[in-house]
Amino acid sequence: MNVRVTTMDAELEFAIQQTTTGKQLFDQVVKTIGLREVWFFGLQYTDSKGDLTWIKLYKKVMSQDVKKENPLQFKFRAKFYPEDVAEELIQDITLRLFYLQVKNAILSDEIYCPPETSVLLASYAVQARHGDYNKITHNSGFLANDRLLPQRVMDQHKMSREEWEQSITTWWNEHKGMLREDAMMEYLRIAQDLEMYGVNYFEIRNKKGTELWLGVDALGLNIYEKDD
């Protein structure tokens, strides 16, 4: 059976046997991308009900409720979040995968981020992608094609694209000389203090039958209202 595994920055294709376990597939992925800090990550798939589920490592892939398509689709994602990124993330690839996943969650508003913090984070993202600010090559409109801020932030504040770019660039200029990896680490250091960072959500009902979210993170459990 053919399998496609999408990481945050690549698509990998493998062929698996009927007997291949989740762990054998997982091991093949981490070996291919050269990842050693494997304990943070897992393989996610959409089951036949349309829910996102983590693959069970010690069961055969084919005996799990993976949506039947060819190739079978899996996402390689961070499953557990470190309490302190600076202390716990060692390898550059681990840092990069975490950075891309957290950045995506912030931009799509899965992790709520206040406007001022969004602009600061965007400036680190630009440093990580483009290196040092240079006013000759990085002129107005240079960032027009980069996805840098959550849509909610742009909708709340009636600023033009040029004004957003200017405020991001002002911060970007402050990061001169910062290496790409250090910019990603700073991004994660700020992001890990956001309230919704590293929370996994589950749909639950209380005794009255009210629908709620149960949020599970490194520090414990939280209950959230469905629309907040």
Side-chain angles (χ1 to χ4, degrees):
M1 196 63 190
N2 291 324
V3 167
R4 180 176 294 143
V5 178
T6 312
T7 73
M8 287 308 298
D9 62 355
E11 274 196 356
L12 312 169
E13 301 243 347
F14 303 101
I16 61 168
Q17 313 294 330
Q18 289 288 341
T19 53
T20 302
T21 64
K23 184 166 188 335
Q24 286 169 325
L25 176 59
F26 180 81
D27 288 348
Q28 212 171 345
V29 174
V30 295
K31 191 174 159 197
T32 304
I33 63 176
L35 180 78
R36 294 193 301 277
E37 295 171 278
V38 299
W39 43 87
F40 294 117
F41 296 90
L43 287 170
Q44 238 182 13
Y45 65 88
T46 304
D47 66 17
S48 59
K49 294 192 210 72
D51 294 326
L52 273 179
T53 310
W54 294 100
I55 205 168
K56 292 183 175 60
L57 293 181
Y58 295 101
K59 275 180 77 175
K60 291 174 190 167
V61 175
M62 300 304 290
S63 67
Q64 302 188 45
D65 185 23
V66 186
K67 190 174 166 202
K68 296 293 178 273
E69 49 192 335
N70 191 16
L72 295 177
Q73 305 277 352
F74 295 95
K75 289 179 180 176
F76 185 80
R77 293 290 185 269
K79 185 177 185 183
F80 302 108
Y81 286 73
E83 283 185 58
D84 184 348
V85 286
E87 292 288 317
E88 293 178 60
L89 301 186
I90 311 295
Q91 260 190 298
D92 284 350
I93 183 157
T94 320
L95 172 64
R96 180 170 167 72
L97 290 173
F98 259 103
Y99 162 74
L100 290 171
Q101 187 165 329
V102 170
K103 179 164 79 106
N104 191 54
I106 286 172
L107 292 178
S108 59
D109 242 359
E110 286 166 52
I111 297 175
Y112 173 82
C113 185
E116 309 75 40
T117 312
S118 299
V119 171
L120 178 57
L121 288 175
S123 71
Y124 282 115
V126 174
Q127 181 71 18
R129 182 168 180 192
H130 299 291
D132 286 355
Y133 172 66
N134 177 336
K135 69 176 178 203
I136 297 165
T137 48
H138 302 143
N139 44 26
S140 179
F142 178 76
L143 300 176
N145 296 325
D146 288 17
R147 186 169 162 241
L148 293 169
L149 296 166
Q151 192 59 45
R152 166 187 49 81
V153 170
M154 294 173 78
D155 292 344
Q156 271 174 354
H157 299 263
K158 296 296 172 218
M159 281 165 64
S160 67
R161 219 169 224 300
E162 291 72 28
E163 289 169 317
W164 282 119
E165 190 173 298
Q166 187 51 55
S167 55
I168 292 168
T169 304
T170 304
W171 278 110
W172 178 20
N173 203 17
E174 299 282 312
H175 310 324
K176 268 207 169 67
M178 185 177 277
L179 296 173
R180 186 181 180 198
E181 282 71 25
D182 293 340
M184 289 188 210
M185 184 61 85
E186 279 307 314
Y187 188 105
L188 286 175
R189 255 200 258 249
I190 295 164
Q192 74 182 359
D193 290 335
L194 296 171
E195 204 175 332
M196 293 165 76
Y197 167 88
V199 182
N200 283 302
Y201 297 94
F202 300 88
E203 295 189 45
I204 59 165
R205 281 195 177 88
N206 64 12
K207 276 186 178 169
K208 292 182 190 157
T210 311
E211 291 194 350
L212 300 162
W213 295 106
L214 174 70
V216 183
D217 66 9
L219 305 174
L221 307 175
N222 297 300
I223 306 281
Y224 303 94
E225 286 182 32
K226 205 65 195 261
D227 56 355
D228 182 8

